[in-house]
Amino acid sequence: AILLAFRKRFCEEVGGRIIGMKSDPITARDLRIWVKQNLFFADKQDVEEIALPKLRKSTVAITMSPEIEVQYRGITDGIEKVLSGLVAKYRDRDLTATDPALETARFKLRKQFQMLTELTLMPDLLVTGARNPKLDECVRIIDEKIESSARIILFTDVPRMASHTGLILSSRFPGKIHAVGLADTIDLWQNGKKVQSYGEKAYTAPDGQTFGIGSWKTYVLKYIVSNNPEVVSLTLTSTYAVGQNLQDFSTVIHLDRDSWNSETMTQRTARAWRTGQGKPVDEYTLDAVYSNPRAAKDA
């Protein structure tokens, strides 16, 4: 509720995505006051007393299959038309009035952006016979890392993709366990099936430490996931981007870019790249691209 109120008060949005902060002087002044009263930021490399291991970043271009590219281009053409019609309305709009046409356009854009995300993340669920190049790349990375006992965290903002990742990875690595963290459960997948699920309740650890309902995720991640060497990968959604210590994992894969929020991307990686991490951390960002980007630019 607090986040929604903040977005409504200070943020400009298009299609459900934040594109910037409101520019009118009163709102800008209120935002500056809010930041000074509530936020402090320092680069962790400036304040950490113990030197962190090396962070090795890679961006991997994942080529769309032809059938997915056709659908993706069609949706982006539709978004371009909607945005063209919104430019004048946003430039000259009456801030005190509600424009039904504008609200309809916003809803349409939200759905179109969502479809673009799903096409790049889950093409195999949307188009019969399509492969999933991002998950194929994840399998390749895990297969490379598993020999050195490295463990992998994957991040996505789409809960359906998180569960689909657990299903696919557990199918491709028989016998191994792949955990999936959703907002209300943490599930364990093995051999293509969900074999166990942990939810919101109080837990008592083997050492006697108690965890209330508010810290159930911390308990499950520490005692059920991190302490189990059979867990090869852990796929997490946006609710896990902050607040968890996962130094037992030394590879982070970003399946998507978290609505273009670079700071949240940093926080995702910081679940593994933090004090107590004894290994270099490899970070991969998987970006879907056209098979011929130049043709897309010239079209």
Side-chain angles (χ1 to χ4, degrees):
I2 296 175
L3 178 59
L4 290 175
F6 179 90
R7 290 176 62 162
K8 184 177 180 180
R9 178 71 179 88
F10 297 114
C11 300
E12 289 280 17
E13 298 184 53
V14 174
R17 294 176 184 267
I18 298 173
I19 61 171
M21 309 309 295
K22 292 181 178 178
S23 58
D24 67 274
I26 294 177
T27 302
R29 181 205 63 192
D30 291 347
L31 177 60
R32 288 194 295 271
I33 293 172
W34 185 91
V35 169
K36 289 180 181 178
Q37 291 177 340
N38 293 279
L39 295 182
F40 170 78
F41 172 80
D43 192 306
K44 66 162 59 180
Q45 296 182 85
D46 295 334
V47 299
E48 290 284 352
E49 295 182 1
I50 301 175
L52 290 171
K54 187 175 182 180
L55 175 64
R56 301 178 294 212
K57 297 185 176 184
S58 301
T59 299
V60 183
I62 305 297
T63 304
M64 298 182 196
S65 61
E67 62 270 29
I68 298 301
E69 182 176 332
V70 168
Q71 292 199 28
Y72 198 96
R73 286 177 183 268
I75 295 172
T76 56
D77 287 345
I79 290 176
E80 182 179 1
K81 292 177 182 177
V82 175
L83 288 177
S84 296
L86 286 176
V87 169
K89 287 182 177 293
Y90 264 90
R91 184 185 300 120
D92 305 322
R93 70 192 186 281
D94 179 358
L95 296 175
T96 65
T98 300
D99 186 337
L102 188 58
E103 295 303 314
T104 300
R106 284 175 173 169
F107 178 76
K108 185 177 181 180
L109 280 174
R110 187 179 296 114
K111 292 185 65 176
Q112 289 176 320
F113 279 124
Q114 179 181 346
M115 180 58 71
L116 289 180
T117 299
E118 292 179 352
L119 278 172
T120 60
L121 287 175
M122 303 174 290
D124 49 330
L125 294 182
L126 301 177
V127 178
T128 303
R131 292 193 61 79
N132 192 317
K134 286 197 175 185
L135 289 185
D136 287 344
E137 179 64 15
C138 291
V139 169
R140 186 198 67 77
I141 294 171
I142 293 172
D143 197 45
E144 180 183 275
K145 300 286 185 181
I146 203 169
E147 294 183 3
S148 60
S149 300
R151 307 167 81 191
I152 291 87
I153 303 175
L154 304 97
F155 271 100
T156 175
D157 273 355
V158 181
R160 187 184 178 194
M161 177 60 177
S163 295
H164 186 52
T165 300
L167 186 155
I168 297 299
L169 294 184
S170 65
S171 299
R172 299 286 289 272
F173 295 93
K176 299 298 183 180
I177 297 174
H178 300 262
V180 175
L182 305 174
D184 54 356
T185 64
I186 297 177
D187 304 323
L188 303 184
W189 289 76
Q190 189 175 38
N191 300 327
K193 296 181 180 179
K194 187 192 302 183
V195 295
Q196 204 157 6
S197 185
Y198 297 86
E200 187 177 2
K201 69 175 186 178
Y203 291 92
T204 301
D207 59 7
Q209 183 179 359
T210 58
F211 292 80
I213 292 178
S215 56
W216 71 273
K217 293 176 181 176
T218 300
Y219 166 80
V220 176
L221 290 174
K222 180 177 180 180
Y223 290 93
I224 305 300
V225 176
S226 292
N227 285 355
N228 186 347
E230 293 303 308
V231 176
V232 172
S233 74
L234 169 62
T235 304
L236 298 174
T237 49
S238 57
T239 57
Y240 297 84
V242 295
Q244 304 298 336
N245 299 315
L246 299 168
Q247 298 95 326
D248 290 321
F249 295 79
S250 57
T251 298
V252 178
I253 301 176
H254 300 287
L255 294 167
D256 53 45
R257 284 189 174 267
D258 192 69
S259 301
W260 309 322
N261 188 329
S262 60
E263 179 54 32
T264 300
M265 297 278 288
T266 300
Q267 289 300 319
R268 287 173 169 183
T269 300
R271 298 313 97 218
W273 189 57
R274 60 192 304 107
T275 301
Q277 175 59 261
K279 302 178 182 178
V281 173
D282 291 315
E283 177 195 78
Y284 298 88
T285 301
L286 308 186
D287 286 336
V289 299
Y290 292 146
S291 58
N292 189 344
R294 183 176 296 277
K297 182 179 179 181
D298 295 340

